Amino acid sequence: MISFDEARSFVLSRLEPLAPVERALAEAIGLVAASTVTATEPAPSFVNSAMDGFAVRASDVTSATRLRVVDSVFAGETSAAVVGDGEAMRIMTGAPLPVGADSVCPREDVIVEADGQYVRIGRPVALGDCVRHVGEDLRVGETLVRPGDVIDPALLGALAGQGVTALSVQRVPLVGVLSTGNELIDAAARPGPGQIRDSNRPTLLAALRQSGMATLDLGIVRDSKADLRAAFERARSTCDAVISTGGVSAGDADFVKVVLGELFAESARSMQVAIRPGKPFTFAYDESSNTPFFGLAGNPVSTLVGFELFVRPALLRLAGRRDIERATVSMVLDCDLVRERDGKIHLIHGVCRIHDDGVIHVERLARRGSHLLFAIARANCLVLAPDGDGATIGDTVRAMILDDSQLNAITESARPR
Ligand code: AMP
Ligand code: MG
């Protein structure tokens, strides 16, 4: 057996982000930036008004000051007039602050007199009030985007504000998924004796989508070396990464590890990782096409745990993401965690919830069994139970947050059994 950390670094050390591509800015939403972008212009780029109102000199305005209105300035215009002593200029939001003025008094705080020729301001104006300054949001040379940043709408808008029209981004990895096993049939088919419907492929295709990957369904492959070899060879020319399930443990029909070992003798490694579930795991890397192959164990819970621990972070690295880890945080157990000492880290699905005091509690642990897929449905965390005798109610454990969208609102019916 090798440690979890060793297995992970074996995988991750071999992977680098895919080659970047250029995309129109509008197409970059949700994509990962591949290069640094720095501000070439300050934002705001000129001093302007934050309000509709009157541009004034703050030192002029005491209580009940009457000022002469010298001009009006709208957004998109400039005024050649200067605001002198005892003067004001009507100004709209976004219009450049006129020469001589240093502050803006909002329209609602003034009384307009003599048909707009004068204004009376009923309160003092602080220097710089309602004025937007050059570079307040971005200074020239400031970094807007670093490689690995996900482009969100505000960032995209800020880039547009800088005149950026195209961007170097990471391609979304295309990940192929195949299931192996002579017992497997498609969901639409009726199982004959000893047959089961393939649940790993739909599970993985869904998990990949949730992680922002593009997917390619490579179907079910029989436990035949020739079929597996052909499937892997096809996959390496079409996919950025390939995941298979089944065929990596000690059974007489477990050919995935054999075939990956034959195809990619330099890099393939069949591991017995000190985790439960998910102990057997094969990783291989095709140097000629830069394609990683993940051979996950076939039991459905093992498949998902292997995906979470090894595949997802690896794919996020291919996708150029800086943060490839799920948040792993301390949680208080609301139930006993029973396990025995066996030299392995146990991964146990559970439901966690933030309590009113801000402390996260594991309120429930799912029934354990690598074949009990429904038992982990709607779990939102994966407790990492280190080797030992387990833990009891009130103890603190570390757990990976799988889905934080429901942290505050798990209902009774949505709890794993
Ligand atoms: P294996 O790793 O191929 O020995 O498979 C281990 C267990 O997982 C066996 O009970 C298989 O029937 C089951 N299994 C393998 N692949 C799948 C799959 N795609 N969907 C559901 N169960 C599977
Ligand atoms: Mg099998």
Side-chain angles (χ1 to χ4, degrees):
M1 274 201 309
I2 63 167
S3 73
F4 168 55
D5 287 341
E6 187 184 340
R8 264 179 61 103
S9 46
F10 182 81
V11 173
L12 293 177
S13 65
R14 274 152 191 80
L15 301 177
E16 277 179 29
L18 303 177
V21 290
E22 193 85 353
R23 285 274 184 279
L25 184 66
E27 304 305 316
I29 185 67
L31 297 181
V32 178
S35 61
T36 302
V37 182
T38 50
T40 54
E41 298 166 8
S45 56
F46 54 89
V47 183
N48 69 89
S49 178
M51 296 289 280
D52 298 323
F54 290 84
V56 297
R57 298 169 172 234
S59 58
D60 266 5
V61 184
T62 50
S63 47
T65 307
R66 190 171 192 248
L67 301 170
R68 192 171 70 85
V69 177
V70 294
D71 197 7
S72 295
V73 61
F74 288 75
E77 294 178 349
T78 55
S79 167
V82 174
V83 175
D85 279 344
E87 292 176 343
M89 189 183 294
R90 195 153 71 98
I91 192 166
M92 305 305 145
T93 306
L97 198 70
V99 176
D102 55 28
S103 313
V104 171
C105 184
R107 174 68 185 80
E108 43 272 41
D109 293 345
V110 309
I111 297 160
V112 178
E113 295 180 348
D115 214 14
Q117 291 183 66
Y118 288 89
V119 285
R120 193 174 289 281
I121 302 181
R123 60 157 179 92
V125 174
L127 182 64
D129 245 11
C130 301
V131 171
R132 298 166 173 168
H133 297 285
V134 171
E136 240 184 299
D137 195 23
L138 279 170
R139 296 177 316 275
V140 172
E142 199 172 327
T143 304
L144 273 103
V145 174
R146 287 191 299 153
D149 284 347
V150 178
I151 309 297
D152 69 13
L155 189 51
L156 191 146
L159 287 163
Q162 287 287 312
V164 172
T165 55
L167 200 63
S168 172
V169 292
Q170 296 293 152
R171 207 157 48 73
V172 174
L174 177 63
V175 186
V177 178
L178 60 90
S179 293
T180 74
N182 287 351
E183 73 279 30
L184 301 178
I185 56 166
D186 270 322
R190 263 192 104 75
Q195 292 187 321
I196 59 169
R197 293 194 182 89
D198 175 7
S199 61
N200 287 346
R201 209 161 27 108
T203 300
L204 285 176
L205 290 168
L208 286 165
R209 292 242 196 100
Q210 267 197 338
S211 301
M213 303 295 152
T215 56
L216 189 63
D217 185 345
L218 301 172
I220 297 170
V221 182
R222 296 185 60 79
D223 292 318
S224 129
K225 283 206 213 178
D227 287 5
L228 285 169
R229 177 181 277 270
F232 287 141
E233 286 195 321
R234 262 196 314 276
R236 74 166 149 183
S237 56
T238 44
C239 302
D240 296 309
V242 181
I243 311 173
S244 66
T245 71
V248 292
S249 41
D252 291 337
D254 286 342
F255 297 134
V256 167
K257 61 180 185 186
V258 180
V259 171
L260 287 177
E262 287 169 4
L263 279 173
F264 314 113
E266 316 275 77
S267 67
R269 185 165 173 192
S270 271
M271 300 172 242
Q272 300 295 318
V273 188
I275 55 172
R276 181 179 170 174
K279 181 169 71 127
F281 168 55
T282 299
F283 178 76
Y285 189 82
D286 176 27
E287 299 284 349
S288 69
S289 64
N290 288 328
T291 312
F293 287 79
F294 303 90
L296 299 178
N299 276 304
V301 179
S302 314
T303 295
L304 261 183
V305 166
F307 177 82
E308 277 301 332
L309 299 186
F310 302 116
V311 183
R312 188 176 181 277
L315 296 178
L316 291 178
R317 173 151 299 165
L318 289 191
R321 288 276 288 270
R322 260 198 320 278
D323 302 323
I324 61 174
E325 305 293 347
R326 296 275 199 195
T328 300
V329 298
S330 293
M331 301 185 188
V332 174
L333 277 179
D334 286 356
C335 53
D336 289 338
L337 187 163
V338 182
R339 62 156 294 169
E340 64 285 353
R341 209 172 270 279
D342 60 3
K344 296 178 197 155
I345 300 173
H346 287 199
L347 290 313
I348 306 159
H349 287 84
V351 169
C352 64
R353 196 168 68 88
I354 301 178
H355 283 202
D356 290 343
D357 56 3
V359 176
I360 307 180
H361 288 243
V362 181
E363 296 193 332
R364 191 125 171 179
L365 291 171
R367 283 190 298 139
R368 273 173 272 171
S370 57
H371 58 304
L372 302 179
L373 182 57
F374 179 63
I376 67 163
R378 286 170 293 187
N380 65 356
C381 67
L382 192 58
V383 177
L384 308 156
D387 192 24
D389 303 321
T392 48
I393 294 183
D395 284 352
T396 296
V397 291
R398 302 276 297 165
M400 209 182 259
I401 295 180
L402 301 177
D403 173 12
D404 52 20
S405 64
Q406 294 188 40
L407 259 189
N408 279 311
I410 295 288
T411 63
E412 193 65 37
S413 66
R415 290 176 181 187
R417 299 180 306 165

